[in-house]
Amino acid sequence: MAVAAVALAAAAVATPVATASAKPGKHLVDVQLLSFNDFHGNLEAPSGSSGRLVTDHHIDPATGAPVDDTVDVGGVEYLASHLAEARKGHDRSLTVAAGDLIGASPLLSAAFHDEPSIEAMNQLGLDVTSVGNHEFDEGYKELQRIADGGCIDDGDGENNQNSCAAHEYAGADFDILAANVVEDATRKTILPSYAIKEVDGVKIGFIGMTLEGTPDIVTAEGIKGLSFKDEVKTANALVPKLKSKGVKAIVTLIHEGANLPKEKWTDPATGTVHEVNATYDYTCERGGELVPDSPIVPIAKNLDPEIDMLVTGHTHNPYVCDVPDPKGKSRLVTSASSFGRLYTETNLKYDLKKRDIVRSSVRGSNMLVTRDVAKAPAQTELINTYKELVTPIASRVLGTITADVTRTANASGESALGDLIADAQLADPSTVVNGEAPVIAFMNPGGIRADLTAANSPYGEAVGDVTYDEAFTVQPFNNFMVSLTMTGQDIYDLLTQQVTGANAGSHKILQVSEGFSYEISSSGPVEGSVMLNGEPIDKSASYRVVTNNFLQGGGDAFEAFTRGTDPYYGGLDIDAFSSYLESSSPYTPGALDRITGTH
């Protein structure tokens, strides 16, 4: 059953199932919740670091430094099999998610508007999910279509996307919730606010939300006319509505998350304590902790005590932790990393008399989606169908690279791949207007989603060849290129916003094009160091710059872009990247000397 856009701010979607009465004295029953988040359309097993998780640590005998032990995990064929196995022996089981199931997806899903990923979620038995920020990548009207079904008249593959390529798209069989996303004109939520699930005498209400800050990290045009409401106020206002329907067991699915500190690990041979990366099974029960100023912490602390647990996402971190509710009572907060590499199994007792979760019984564990199990046949069939349809697009060789071009940044924040993308955007002719070409390009580091490696791909091209599939995996958002005019002062302010304000806690160093350089400090660019082709930037002068429409709309808290004037929209960023790879082949990464200093 596809979820339709609804007309009530607190619309409910209930899925009734046959109810069984408890035997006398047997009022406590076992319930299983399986959850995951931030799948991002990873149908095939993700490769490289995106397909690994840390399991333990050991000491490198050559350096004496701790080294991560990792395992290859993920892939929807394996995720579906693990979930099916986990459900065995559990009569009361529900599968839920916390957003970003689609968006920023590999080409296999994105080439078909992420319809394959929703079909995969239908097959693996997802019951309900919240929206995340990436569900808005193609705009909220498209999100509603994703929920409801139907086809886009997109020119049968123009711009390397094709809706309903295999068959009529039927929509989601699970509930997609957006409790805090309201259409300004109607004051109604764009999708249901909550869903009530009943299974064998157990009734649980799920409230689903994205982070309030979604407008800061998505393209402005796609959410025009929407308001994103405070998460705590939204959820707390829904609690009495659920209770009025006889629902006392409440779970919040929220696309906001926690950051993790370095984990303490003791070398068993020497007893030396090292700071290391967190393992997949990071828990507060074993001494871990969430960074206190993590966005989810104040939300969790202030949600109504009637809410029994939180399934979270967004930060791509693995954790199972306790954040006490306003009454000081323990409340579980979980996140299962990203890309289908983990799922969280939560087991709890439900009191059939009180119709509520026994909070003290709630126990969660993050479980690896290992690749040593049989693949789910239905998922394999789905993948093969779309792989055949995408091959003509994906296998086209754009050019060659002489060495890996990676996102790995130096101490100043500059990366070889960031340089390549910024240069491609500067060279893009689609943003030249009235003969005036941009002179500086800026690229957000968070939009660079994978490395370019010289190794062979599944399409069998020669070593060093770069296919469209590989290029798209690097830049999967289909953002438009935009040129605009900014003053020198705007540019100084822009560079300052990389390390201050909303970015003070987690610096976002923009990648810049050849000919532009500066020295960064902890408070912003060093005065007088901002140069264009060897000449200092004049704060009172105007410069034509190019970026993507995400940044141009003020994304990632770069408000200075919104001051730009005379915007001109060009082509897609992936087209600019592809064309540059073709014209610059063979490409060799250069020295990282555009940004100096430390921050």
Side-chain angles (χ1 to χ4, degrees), residues 527-550:
E527 188 69 28
S529 71
V530 185
M531 313 285 283
L532 178 61
N533 299 323
E535 297 291 329
I537 288 286
D538 182 348
K539 291 184 179 180
S540 63
S542 295
Y543 300 87
R544 197 70 180 168
V545 307
V546 62
T547 188
N548 57 54
N549 60 315
F550 165 69

Side-chain angles (χ1 to χ4, degrees), residues 178-528:
N180 63 333
V181 186
V182 175
E183 194 171 25
D184 295 335
T186 63
R187 298 184 181 180
K188 299 168 184 174
T189 56
I190 62 167
L191 288 167
S193 296
Y194 61 84
I196 299 170
K197 297 294 176 180
E198 295 185 47
V199 54
D200 200 15
V202 169
K203 182 186 287 187
I204 301 177
F206 293 93
I207 298 170
M209 302 180 288
T210 186
L211 68 155
E212 184 185 5
T214 291
D216 296 329
I217 52 176
V218 300
T219 302
E221 189 63 28
I223 57 168
K224 190 174 182 179
L226 300 183
S227 292
F228 290 76
K229 303 299 185 180
D230 180 85
E231 304 96 335
V232 172
K233 291 179 180 177
T234 298
N236 288 353
L238 290 171
V239 168
K241 296 180 185 295
L242 285 165
K243 292 179 71 175
S244 71
K245 297 178 180 294
V247 178
K248 295 181 180 179
I250 305 173
V251 175
T252 295
L253 312 175
I254 179 169
H255 191 72
E256 183 59 285
N259 300 314
L260 303 181
K262 287 287 187 177
E263 196 170 9
K264 302 291 185 183
W265 175 75
T266 303
D267 177 2
T270 65
T272 303
V273 178
H274 299 271
E275 287 192 339
V276 294
N277 295 320
T279 56
Y280 77 92
D281 55 351
Y282 187 92
T283 67
C284 293
E285 192 174 46
R286 293 205 319 270
E289 62 179 9
L290 306 181
V291 173
D293 62 356
S294 295
I296 196 63
V297 173
I299 295 172
K301 285 182 176 179
N302 289 288
L303 285 175
D304 193 301
E306 295 293 330
I307 295 172
D308 295 294
M309 67 172 287
L310 287 75
V311 177
T312 73
H314 190 53
T315 57
H316 292 203
N317 286 320
Y319 50 83
V320 175
C321 276
D322 168 60
V323 178
D325 68 19
K327 291 185 175 180
K329 192 175 179 181
S330 293
R331 183 158 59 188
L332 196 69
V333 179
T334 72
S335 174
S337 188
S338 59
F339 308 148
R341 295 176 292 177
L342 289 180
Y343 68 92
T344 308
E345 180 176 9
T346 302
N347 293 290
L348 56 90
K349 299 287 185 183
Y350 180 93
D351 191 321
L352 292 170
K353 288 184 177 179
K354 296 181 179 179
R355 296 177 297 169
D356 205 354
I357 290 169
V358 180
R359 187 81 67 82
S360 61
S361 72
V362 180
R363 294 288 184 274
S365 301
N366 275 336
M367 313 296 289
L368 290 167
V369 178
T370 59
R371 301 176 189 171
D372 57 357
V373 299
K375 297 179 180 179
Q379 300 287 356
T380 301
E381 182 180 354
L382 182 147
I383 288 171
N384 289 341
T385 294
Y386 285 103
K387 283 182 74 172
E388 183 176 349
L389 290 167
V390 83
T391 294
I393 297 171
S395 61
R396 182 166 68 88
V397 174
L398 302 174
T400 61
I401 54 177
T402 61
D404 291 351
V405 189
T406 75
R407 299 166 291 169
T408 303
N410 63 10
S412 302
E414 181 182 354
S415 73
L417 189 50
D419 287 355
L420 170 58
I421 292 171
D423 289 347
Q425 294 181 351
L426 188 67
D428 178 26
S430 74
T431 59
V432 176
V433 58
N434 297 326
E436 186 177 11
V439 293
I440 309 167
F442 296 100
M443 175 63 193
N444 52 309
I448 307 173
R449 306 299 285 194
D451 298 334
L452 273 186
T453 61
N456 286 333
S457 86
Y459 301 105
E461 78 278 5
V463 172
D465 282 353
V466 178
T467 62
Y468 184 84
D469 178 52
E470 292 171 295
F472 186 89
T473 302
V474 170
Q475 285 197 277
F477 294 108
N478 278 323
N479 284 326
F480 285 93
M481 303 310 306
V482 188
S483 60
L484 60 155
T485 299
M486 299 179 71
T487 67
Q489 183 64 61
D490 291 336
I491 292 172
Y492 264 88
D493 292 345
L494 177 70
L495 300 177
T496 301
Q497 288 166 7
Q498 299 176 117
V499 295
T500 61
N503 294 327
S506 179
H507 297 170
K508 292 184 174 69
I509 304 301
L510 296 168
Q511 305 300 288
V512 299
S513 53
E514 187 175 9
F516 184 77
S517 63
Y518 68 96
E519 182 181 351
I520 188 70
S521 73
S522 59
S523 59
V526 173
E527 188 69 28

